[in-house]
Amino acid sequence: MERKDADNLSFVLSNAAECTVLLKKSGQFPLDKAGKIAAYGSGLRYTIKGGTGSGEVNSKETFTIEQGLEKAGVSIASKSWLDAYDEVRKQAKKQFFKDLKAQAKAKHENAIMYSMGKTMKEPDHNLEITKLCDTAIYVVSRNSGEGSDREVIEGDVKLAKSEIRDILLLNKMYDRFMLVLNVGGAIDLSPVMEVKDILLLSQLGTDCGAILADILLGKQNPSGKLTTTWAKFEEYSNEGTFGDWNDNRYKEGIYVGYRYFDTFKKRSLFPFGFGLSYTTFEIKAQEVRADKDTLTCEVLVKNTGSCAGKEVVQVYLSAPEDKLDQPYQQLVGYAKTSLLDSGSECRLEISFRLSDFASYDEESESYVLEKGRYVIRVGNSSVDTKIAAVATLEEMVTTLKTRNCLGKPDFTDIKFEHSEPDSIPEGITAITLTADDFEKREVSFDSEVPVDPRIKNLTDEELSYMQIGNFDPNARGLSIIGNAATHLAGAAGETTSQLAKKGIRPLIMADGPAGIRISLKYYEEGENQYDAGNKGMIPESMLEMMGPIAKFIAKMLVGGKKIPKNAVIKEHSATMIPIGTAIAQSFNTELAEALGDIVGSEMEKFGVHLWLAPALNIHRSILCGRNFEYYSEDPLVSGEVAAAITRGVQKHRGCGTTIKHYAANNAETNRYCNNSQVSERAMREIYLRGFDICVKKSQPKAVMTSYNLLNGTHTSEHRGLIEDILRSEFGFKGIVMTDWVMEVMTSKKSVYRNALSNEVAKAGGELFMPGTKKDYERVLTALKDDTLSRKQLEVNASRLIRTIDEFYNAE
């Protein structure tokens, strides 16, 4: 998808309907023309453009859904209800702030830190609804963010009583009624499934209302598919643990998302890969052919409806079971059609390598394909497929010999004993594969890394500076996101400037993943930029949480610099793209690449080298507060979307992505010191596979490790995760940095400590971010007492300087 329009926001608005999912339809929409509608729900005036925390982008202007609809010529007939809801919301928010402060005090925690990621639940009310016209919508909104997980309570995962009452009333009152979901993750819709029209609008950036208006009026046709299974909450797997303070046990193993639902025959409300359209399609598998272990499915798609639209074809694979248990099926490929007019058709070719979906055998420390029958299914959701071919492998094949290096959990993964396999219809294509059709590889570990000659001449002190972010030893307050950089106001951080006289220039980093986050207002002093309004220093949501004392707390926390009287206040802003889950729902890698291109163009404009995105952790549980910025419960979708966005960003000179959070960062509760216990097989097949795909398809410039521990070792200190798998096995060539580690965020209730800069360096991590004097001293002390070798620091610094050269030489 070529991005010709120079107006980035216009491009987003013209294409974001591909990210929305039509869950139910009655034929009453789209509307013939803009007119009067009755509109209800919190999302009208309190629209969520994206989740809180790192995903926030400082745009010059944003619009609510109400404003977006009115700009499109839609008249809102229910203004009195919306005005009354304003008062309900105002009182609820006042109580929310009061409760937050009381809870923080009772727990003896810093109020602003405690508030991070916590969002107000939808309040109940008794506002009256009467019929006002012929059409109505109800917009449910949910917010979430980093630092806090969602709850299975009314007003969050569950609908509030007043939401259920009003949605069902409107559904009966109006023949033409649509439930619109302005949410970043799944909610339990089981009480309102009788509603005939449901649209997952998602969170699309600065003007969700304009996109909703286009959909309601038929100017754009929803064509997204779910990347996460939506179900009644009680139907989700409870095999593992989630939200435990110290240890989360991933006992479900490989049975995540649809792998669980399909295998254990659980019912969902809307399955993985599901999504409707204003039109209808017919999908027919025409041919399946093999070239060695590459299988290609040729599929004919015809638009059988009355208007233009796009369809997504999905290919699933069911593997045989012998020694290793298997999920019923897994996604191995997908493709989206171009816009098809009514009655038109197109052919799609979807190819995949069977070896890319080998299973990991912990006993032999290798990836294997067991002998037997591999069933290939084609359809448009995980529950709507037809068998297209069967490939039979005559003997077990080892595709990659590696080694176990991730540690062991204190449990054994669950297994599912399958009954008889599905019968194969007559006339299905049969393919026979032998061991000769596969490439066999063995990972080479511990290869020598050349040390840059410039590094050899650095002192121990200078080497230690290179390991740490650009901290200012004289600064007041903490070095955090938005206050850890000096060259671009509101940037997330930088590498050290201490060695600039030796030609080692700093890399500037901006947060993501919904666009680059920098200060809206700033002023300049020499070569440096400083924030002129606190917006870039702390996420807006955190400032709002603390009410009237927010600015005072912000200044105490980050050491806000006083704006000089003669300062010239300037502005810069960035385009907010849809949240990660929404981008993935498009199932359109060309669109994802184009959105990455938008980000890259603005990075180039503002002088940003590294974007701290994309984020591709797995939707292990719908309760993870940060799921909105992650892509899917499926690693193939996650890896493909992250790779596409990376390609878009890295088209631009001197610009790179930082894929994160590596790895098993699937909950926000006590995120700095929580231990994810995961088996080697589940890690490799579910939680690392997306990173593998992204590295091999786009080679991002950086990887950010996660806060959590993996089987007792911080991921940033995990040499097996960083050196053995990421570098040796995946072939990653860039730099590895930590997430923003701060001692103040460590909970006193944690049984595990926070990550340490000297241990990160020892594990092969190049950067400890954002960096403090104490972090620097830890590295230097370890170097002096020989608990950290100079050779390791030279290797780390060589990788960093090589990346710095790549960025600046590209400019």
Side-chain angles (χ1 to χ4, degrees):
M1 180 179 288
E2 185 178 356
R3 188 172 62 86
K4 297 179 181 179
D5 194 336
D7 184 344
N8 291 340
L9 178 57
S10 176
F11 179 86
V12 173
L13 296 179
S14 299
N15 292 277
E18 289 207 37
C19 304
T20 68
V21 185
L22 189 60
L23 296 175
K24 294 189 73 175
K25 66 175 183 176
S26 67
Q28 294 289 335
F29 293 90
L31 305 174
D32 294 332
K33 60 182 179 179
K36 184 180 291 188
I37 69 170
Y40 304 91
S42 62
L44 264 295
R45 289 182 177 174
Y46 302 93
T47 308
I48 308 300
K49 61 180 182 176
T52 72
S54 67
E56 297 184 73
V57 175
N58 296 317
S59 301
K60 287 184 179 179
E61 57 181 355
T62 59
F63 302 95
T64 66
I65 286 177
E66 180 185 23
Q67 292 168 331
L69 291 174
E70 290 180 330
K71 283 192 301 171
V74 175
S75 175
I76 307 297
S78 50
K79 291 284 189 179
S80 60
W81 189 96
L82 295 173
D83 292 342
Y85 180 80
D86 286 343
E87 186 59 32
V88 170
R89 186 92 175 186
K90 179 181 177 181
Q91 295 304 316
K93 203 159 199 177
K94 185 177 179 180
Q95 186 62 46
F96 172 63
F97 288 143
K98 184 178 179 181
D99 292 343
L100 266 185
K101 293 171 187 176
Q103 291 164 14
K105 184 176 181 180
K107 294 175 182 290
H108 306 287
E109 294 192 29
N110 180 292
I112 196 167
M113 298 303 184
Y114 178 78
S115 72
M116 187 174 185
K118 290 182 172 60
T119 57
M120 187 180 77
K121 310 313 174 191
E122 178 62 26
D124 269 319
H125 57 77
N126 292 305
L127 301 178
E128 185 179 359
I129 289 178
T130 57
K131 188 166 184 178
L132 301 171
C133 49
D134 295 327
T135 303
I137 64 172
Y138 190 102
V139 184
V140 171
S141 283
R142 292 290 188 270
N143 203 1
S144 62
E146 61 173 316
S148 184
D149 289 314
R150 299 173 64 198
E151 297 178 88
V152 189
I153 59 174
E154 294 174 3
D156 192 347
V157 170
K158 301 280 189 177
L159 293 170
K161 289 184 177 66
S162 56
E163 287 177 320
I164 296 171
R165 179 197 67 219
D166 292 348
I167 290 167
L168 294 179
L169 174 63
L170 289 165
N171 190 54
K172 291 178 181 178
M173 188 179 289
Y174 288 84
D175 290 333
R176 188 179 287 133
F177 167 67
M178 179 178 282
L179 172 59
V180 179
L181 307 172
N182 171 223
V183 300
I187 58 177
D188 186 345
L189 293 177
S190 57
V192 295
M193 284 298 286
E194 64 189 69
V195 173
K196 298 178 288 292
D197 292 272
I198 304 177
L199 174 71
L200 172 56
L201 181 66
S202 195
Q203 296 166 348
L204 305 174
T206 57
D207 199 348
C208 295
I211 300 157
L212 176 59
D214 277 358
I215 293 171
L216 291 175
L217 298 172
K219 295 179 181 179
Q220 293 193 65
N221 191 343
S223 62
K225 304 283 185 176
L226 291 179
T227 60
T228 293
T229 304
W230 281 48
K232 185 176 182 180
F233 184 78
E234 289 72 21
E235 292 296 313
Y236 289 103
S237 172
N238 60 3
E239 293 291 344
T241 57
F242 176 89
D244 287 6
W245 194 257
N246 290 307
D247 289 272
N248 280 305
R249 293 173 169 84
Y250 293 42
K251 295 179 182 179
E252 71 280 2
I254 60 172
Y255 298 104
V256 177
Y258 70 89
R259 288 168 169 82
Y260 169 76
F261 278 85
D262 294 348
T263 305
F264 288 80
K265 295 179 172 51
K266 296 289 183 178
R267 290 189 61 185
S268 64
L269 299 176
F270 303 105
F272 174 87
F274 175 80
L276 301 172
S277 169
Y278 283 150
T279 189
T280 55
F281 298 93
E282 181 181 77
I283 297 173
K284 289 184 179 179
Q286 300 291 99
E287 179 188 16
V288 179
R289 58 185 182 272
D291 180 8
K292 295 292 188 179
D293 80 320
T294 297
L295 301 172
T296 299
C297 301
E298 185 177 305
V299 183
L300 180 68
V301 183
K302 183 176 182 179
N303 183 341
T304 57
S306 58
C307 65
K310 296 184 178 184
E311 176 63 302
V312 177
V313 177
Q314 302 156 42
V315 178
Y316 294 85
L317 180 72
S318 298
E321 287 190 290
D322 187 9
K323 176 183 176 182
L324 300 176
D325 60 312
Q326 297 288 350
Y328 175 72
Q329 62 183 354
Q330 62 176 312
L331 184 71
V332 293
Y334 60 88
K336 193 168 193 174
T337 68
S338 58
L339 187 67
L340 297 178
D341 291 328
S342 175
S344 63
E345 60 186 30
C346 73
R347 290 181 183 270
L348 298 175
E349 285 194 352
I350 303 171
S351 297
F352 66 96
R353 291 179 66 219
L354 194 58
S355 54
D356 287 341
F357 298 92
S359 299
Y360 190 75
D361 176 29
E362 295 180 20
E363 186 177 339
S364 64
E365 300 183 287
S366 57
Y367 287 89
V368 300
L369 290 164
E370 297 192 301
K371 68 178 182 179
R373 194 179 72 175
Y374 290 81
V375 180
I376 300 160
R377 308 170 192 273
V378 174
N380 62 0
S381 79
S382 64
V383 300
D384 189 5
T385 61
K386 293 181 180 179
I387 297 175
V390 175
T392 301
L393 183 57
E394 296 182 332
E395 58 185 300
M396 189 187 81
V397 174
T398 297
T399 61
L400 180 66
K401 183 70 177 74
T402 181
R403 67 187 183 196
N404 296 335
C405 56
L406 298 177
K408 288 190 174 184
D410 60 9
F411 58 84
T412 301
D413 289 351
I414 64 166
K415 290 188 177 183
F416 183 81
E417 299 297 332
H418 287 282
S419 53
E420 288 296 313
D422 293 347
S423 59
I424 306 300
E426 291 185 8
I428 294 298
T429 300
I431 298 168
T432 301
L433 299 172
T434 69
D436 294 336
D437 291 317
F438 297 85
E439 177 187 359
K440 292 90 173 175
R441 297 185 299 116
E442 184 168 349
V443 178
S444 175
F445 297 99
D446 303 318
S447 57
E448 191 70 22
V449 178
V451 174
D452 189 285
R454 292 169 290 179
I455 298 302
K456 285 288 188 183
N457 297 323
L458 296 181
T459 65
D460 287 353
E461 287 76 12
E462 290 169 332
L463 266 181
S464 299
Y465 271 122
M466 287 198 70
Q467 187 72 37
I468 308 298
N470 192 31
F471 70 95
D472 180 356
N474 300 313
R476 293 183 296 127
L478 301 175
S479 181
I480 66 169
I481 291 278
N483 188 42
T486 56
H487 292 87
L488 178 64
E494 300 174 1
T495 58
T496 186
S497 294
Q498 298 293 327
L499 306 180
K501 291 181 179 179
K502 293 201 171 186
I504 302 176
R505 300 163 72 181
L507 295 179
I508 299 169
M509 309 168 192
D511 211 1
I516 59 173
R517 181 151 62 84
I518 52 180
S519 294
L520 185 62
K521 295 183 179 181
Y522 69 99
Y523 65 95
E524 297 173 339
E525 282 187 357
E527 294 183 354
N528 294 339
Q529 288 186 7
Y530 297 98
D531 182 87
N534 280 332
K535 285 199 92 175
M537 301 170 75
I538 290 181
E540 185 177 351
S541 59
M542 289 182 69
L543 291 174
E544 184 185 30
M545 289 287 185
M546 300 316 300
I549 63 168
K551 289 185 179 179
F552 172 75
I553 293 176
K555 185 174 180 180
M556 293 294 292
L557 182 66
V558 301
K561 184 178 172 66
K562 187 176 181 180
I563 302 173
K565 290 183 179 180
N566 61 345
V568 177
I569 306 302
K570 300 182 178 181
E571 283 191 354
H572 46 32
S573 66
T575 304
M576 187 172 191
I577 62 176
I579 60 171
T581 302
I583 296 172
Q585 285 170 180
S586 75
F587 274 80
N588 186 339
T589 52
E590 290 185 4
L591 176 58
E593 186 169 330
L595 293 171
D597 184 18
I598 287 175
V599 174
S601 68
E602 295 182 351
M603 290 172 64
E604 195 172 4
K605 175 183 177 181
F606 295 122
V608 175
H609 299 107
L610 281 172
W611 186 40
L612 303 183
L616 62 150
N617 293 101
I618 295 296
H619 292 176
R620 176 186 176 234
S621 167
I622 66 165
L623 298 181
C624 178
R626 213 162 176 176
N627 273 355
F628 69 92
E629 66 181 83
Y630 302 154
Y631 299 124
S632 176
E633 66 190 23
D634 181 76
L636 175 66
V637 174
S638 300
E640 291 285 356
V641 176
I645 290 176
T646 294
R647 289 193 296 270
V649 168
Q650 294 187 173
K651 287 178 182 177
H652 296 268
R653 295 183 305 166
C655 299
T657 65
T658 306
I659 61 173
K660 63 183 187 182
H661 306 88
Y662 187 74
N665 185 184
N666 306 105
E668 291 297 289
T669 302
N670 189 28
R671 61 184 181 146
Y672 294 89
C673 301
N674 192 278
N675 181 31
S676 295
Q677 294 200 37
V678 198
S679 70
E680 186 103 16
R681 183 184 179 191
M683 278 299 298
R684 289 173 173 274
E685 292 189 27
I686 304 294
Y687 301 100
L688 296 180
R689 184 162 275 171
F691 289 93
D692 185 13
I693 292 168
C694 184
V695 167
K696 288 174 179 172
K697 290 201 168 188
S698 66
Q699 197 57 241
K701 295 297 184 183
V703 169
M704 179 188 288
T705 54
S706 52
Y707 285 126
N708 56 278
L709 299 87
L710 172 64
N711 295 326
T713 302
H714 269 286
T715 59
S716 56
E717 300 175 1
H718 206 304
R719 195 170 181 86
L721 197 59
I722 295 170
E723 293 291 352
D724 290 359
I725 294 184
L726 182 61
R727 296 194 189 281
S728 298
E729 195 170 311
F730 295 173
F732 177 65
K733 296 179 174 61
I735 58 172
V736 176
M737 69 176 74
T738 67
D739 205 333
W740 265 232
V741 178
M742 294 168 284
E743 282 191 46
V744 71
M745 301 301 283
T746 306
S747 170
K748 295 177 182 178
K749 297 185 292 180
S750 297
V751 299
Y752 302 104
R753 61 165 174 78
N754 215 325
L756 301 175
S757 55
N758 55 308
E759 295 298 329
V760 169
K762 191 186 300 183
E766 279 73 44
L767 285 172
F768 192 89
M769 297 298 295
T772 65
K773 186 176 182 179
K774 194 171 184 179
D775 299 324
Y776 160 78
E777 289 171 345
R778 277 200 179 104
V779 172
L780 185 59
T781 299
L783 194 56
K784 298 291 188 185
D785 65 18
D786 290 329
T787 57
L788 172 62
S789 71
R790 180 178 169 93
K791 181 180 179 181
Q792 181 64 63
L793 274 195
E794 288 177 347
V795 166
N796 296 351
S798 295
R799 286 173 172 151
L800 177 57
I801 201 171
R802 182 179 66 228
T803 303
I804 291 172
D805 287 346
E806 288 175 2
F807 280 116
Y808 281 100
N809 291 340
E811 295 177 353

